[in-house]
Amino acid sequence: MRLVSLTIKNFRSITAAHKLHFGDSTVLIGPNNEGKSNILRALVTALRVLSRASAALRDRGEASSKFKVPTFSRIFYRREYSWESDFPIPQRNRSPDGKSEFALEFEFDDAEIAQFKRRIGVQISGRLTIKIALGRDFGNIMVSKQGPAARELTEKSGVVAQFIARRVNIQYIPAVRTERAAHTVVDDILRVALEEIESSQKYVAALKEIEKLQAPVLSSLSRQLKSTLITFLPAVRDVKVRIAREARTEALRSSEIIIDDGIPTHLKYKGDGVQSLVALALMGTYQETSDSSVHTIVAIEEPESHLHPSAIHSLRGVLADIATRQQIVLTTHCPLFVDRSNVSANILVKDSKARSASSVQEIRDILGVRAADNLRHAELVLLVEGGEEKLYLEALLPALSPALKQSFENRALTIDSLNGGSNLAYKAGLIIESLCSCHCFIDNDKAGKDAVERARLQGAITDADVNWVMCPGMPESELEDLFEVRAYSMTLQNRYRVTLETPKFRTNKKWSDRMKETFQHQGKLWDERVEADVKGLVAEAAASDPVSSLNSHKRGAIDGLIAALELRLRGHK
């Protein structure tokens, strides 16, 4: 079961937000005090009230098909909603009996459709909307459905609410992630993880044994208290000191978090950044331990709060991983969390209105992001190590792939050089902050591997973002190893009077090492200046006829790069 859309009416600053669509990951962006947090809070409120009302109806024995739209008093939702603070102030005088309204549209999979049919007795096509109205004193829940089954579903709104509530869970992580917030997440994890054993016979028997052991102590305290109170209050007949069964269960779920980073320290004594990361990390743990039959929606307010930039990059990967299993909805001011591959998954919130973004430029404008001229229209930036690689690949890729040729022409794809692999993490970060995606084509040598590892550890890239210049049978290789020697041998011979028809150039070392040994063996200088000049000459010669310059036996790395770029430009991350 997945949340498809949310409609909000008269909740805090949001007077109307119609059918906001939700995907695997949905990002709410906009200036401060424009309503992002209120939309997120509306989602949390609606789902929590749905859960509480479902439990209340069950406890009242009303979960049957015989009653119509279930109504419940504010006592069941007062923790989540207060009319005095949540109903829009400008509306209160005009509508003293007004309600905040929420419409949650869910999509069912085939198994859930079959379960719904067995439980409710109504066949549905796959989507269903639950409407929740919360007023000053009373609230109600009803099914909103068109068609022949509408009346029957409305009459069974309570059962439908329970059916959905049991299969959807909301986890809310606020922007101020204190030690208490972290423990709230832990408590929820424990609750879900322990539910199975808490219903087992051994656990129930153990609780009864604890109750039996506590009984004499409680009885003794009851007698002592009664004896003392009768002295002052002769009308007192009896006094009982008891521990509720629910209290015993909650006590056995109590936990504390100790962080050992050299000195074991209680979480509450750690800084805001650590407390923030703990709450978010526990959410990832929750996804791995939670019941797969229950769909969790994770609502996070400003995940970048209190975090170091490198931690923000890492967190981006964690959230992307969680989004493969559960839905994520977050508010942010940080460009790193914007969904660049699915623009409509970003909801723009401004002037208390919300709508899906229609272009990257809209997102840049609302976040105040200024992209460089070469990135303004780019969807994907290919990072290469130097200008030589850029020159050759700009000639080769369009010649081999019509799709990439079109992307170059409409500037959806561009190539940028790092001017040294050590700049990879920095350059990738700038590209992401400009709301572009980046991909890398890196030499398969120690320098390239070190640069990629640093960028990966900083969260700027993932393994999926990198293609390597690999040649069969070579432990290390670089772009020039992919070229036919004949494409540039005469150019070097004319410029430097160096022949490449020598055993020194026919080893399995990478190109620059082979070229260095060849030059030095023939009594030629090889330093940074000569190397840069030779690389430039070779790149120009290869780019003049890029396809024939490519060694057909070594083009696997190029074919893999083309496949990866085409895949990403088709909308895949």
Side-chain angles (χ1 to χ4, degrees), residues 423-484:
N423 294 323
L424 177 57
Y426 170 73
K427 207 65 174 282
L430 288 181
I431 288 170
I432 295 170
E433 288 176 3
S434 297
L435 300 184
C436 298
S437 299
C438 76
H439 200 83
C440 311
F441 194 46
I442 303 296
D443 289 345
N444 182 37
D445 57 15
K446 185 178 185 306
K449 290 176 181 176
D450 288 345
V452 167
E453 182 63 9
R454 284 194 298 271
R456 188 188 66 80
L457 291 175
Q458 293 180 33
I461 61 173
T462 67
D463 290 334
D465 299 327
V466 183
N467 277 65
W468 297 91
V469 182
M470 290 185 175
C471 288
M474 298 182 66
E476 290 192 333
S477 49
E478 49 198 343
L479 184 67
E480 291 82 1
D481 287 307
L482 306 182
F483 300 160
E484 290 281 6

Side-chain angles (χ1 to χ4, degrees), residues 268-289:
K268 66 182 177 182
Y269 299 121
K270 289 293 185 181
D272 289 344
V274 174
Q275 293 183 9
S276 176
L277 284 172
V278 167
L280 293 168
L282 285 169
M283 182 50 58
T285 303
Y286 176 84
Q287 304 311 314
E288 295 175 1
T289 60

Side-chain angles (χ1 to χ4, degrees), residues 17-90:
H18 180 69
K19 215 162 190 178
L20 303 176
H21 291 277
F22 291 85
D24 294 339
S25 179
T26 304
V27 185
L28 300 167
I29 55 178
N32 286 323
N33 300 317
E34 295 288 353
K36 300 187 304 298
S37 296
N38 287 341
I39 289 176
L40 191 71
R41 187 63 199 180
L43 172 64
V44 174
T45 297
L47 287 170
R48 284 183 173 175
V49 168
L50 177 64
S51 177
R52 291 186 185 280
S54 173
L57 293 170
R58 182 187 65 242
D59 294 342
R60 288 181 353 198
E62 295 182 359
S64 70
S65 61
K66 298 179 180 178
F67 65 92
K68 295 187 177 182
V69 178
T71 300
F72 40 90
S73 71
R74 67 180 296 175
I75 191 171
F76 293 113
Y77 57 83
R78 62 184 177 185
R79 291 184 184 178
E80 309 303 333
Y81 177 87
S82 168
W83 191 90
E84 289 75 13
S85 58
D86 291 331
F87 192 77
I89 294 175

Side-chain angles (χ1 to χ4, degrees), residues 552-572:
S552 60
H553 300 292
K554 297 180 179 180
R555 62 175 286 171
I558 294 294
D559 291 335
L561 174 65
I562 290 173
L565 295 177
E566 289 179 344
L567 187 67
R568 297 194 67 169
L569 287 164
R570 285 200 297 269
H572 297 265

Side-chain angles (χ1 to χ4, degrees), residues 356-524:
S356 294
S358 58
S359 70
V360 172
Q361 190 56 48
E362 278 189 320
I363 301 172
R364 286 184 178 135
D365 290 343
I366 205 166
L367 289 176
V369 173
R370 295 183 178 180
D373 289 341
N374 64 321
L375 301 180
R376 189 170 299 276
H377 302 287
E379 295 179 15
L380 182 63
V381 179
L382 176 61
L383 290 177
V384 296
E385 294 200 29
E388 298 82 13
E389 288 87 348
K390 182 176 186 293
L391 175 66
Y392 178 67
L393 291 174
E394 282 180 337
L396 178 68
L397 297 181
L400 293 180
S401 168
L404 296 187
K405 180 181 179 181
Q406 183 178 1
S407 295
F408 277 114
E409 289 173 350
N410 63 27
R411 293 187 289 178
L413 173 63
T414 188
I415 301 179
D416 199 1
S417 62
L418 298 171
N419 296 320
S422 60
N423 294 323
L424 177 57
Y426 170 73
K427 207 65 174 282
L430 288 181
I431 288 170
I432 295 170
E433 288 176 3
S434 297
L435 300 184
C436 298
S437 299
C438 76
H439 200 83
C440 311
F441 194 46
I442 303 296
D443 289 345
N444 182 37
D445 57 15
K446 185 178 185 306
K449 290 176 181 176
D450 288 345
V452 167
E453 182 63 9
R454 284 194 298 271
R456 188 188 66 80
L457 291 175
Q458 293 180 33
I461 61 173
T462 67
D463 290 334
D465 299 327
V466 183
N467 277 65
W468 297 91
V469 182
M470 290 185 175
C471 288
M474 298 182 66
E476 290 192 333
S477 49
E478 49 198 343
L479 184 67
E480 291 82 1
D481 287 307
L482 306 182
F483 300 160
E484 290 281 6
V485 177
R486 59 175 169 76
Y488 58 86
S489 59
M490 290 305 298
T491 301
L492 295 186
Q493 185 172 331
N494 293 335
R495 178 68 170 264
Y496 285 97
R497 303 295 187 264
V498 168
T499 178
L500 302 183
E501 294 296 327
T502 172
K504 290 292 184 181
F505 196 67
R506 290 196 288 269
T507 68
N508 71 340
K509 294 181 180 179
K510 68 178 184 178
W511 181 88
S512 57
D513 290 342
R514 291 185 288 128
M515 191 63 74
K516 176 182 179 180
E517 292 179 359
T518 298
F519 265 62
Q520 291 177 342
H521 180 68
Q522 296 179 38
K524 297 292 184 177

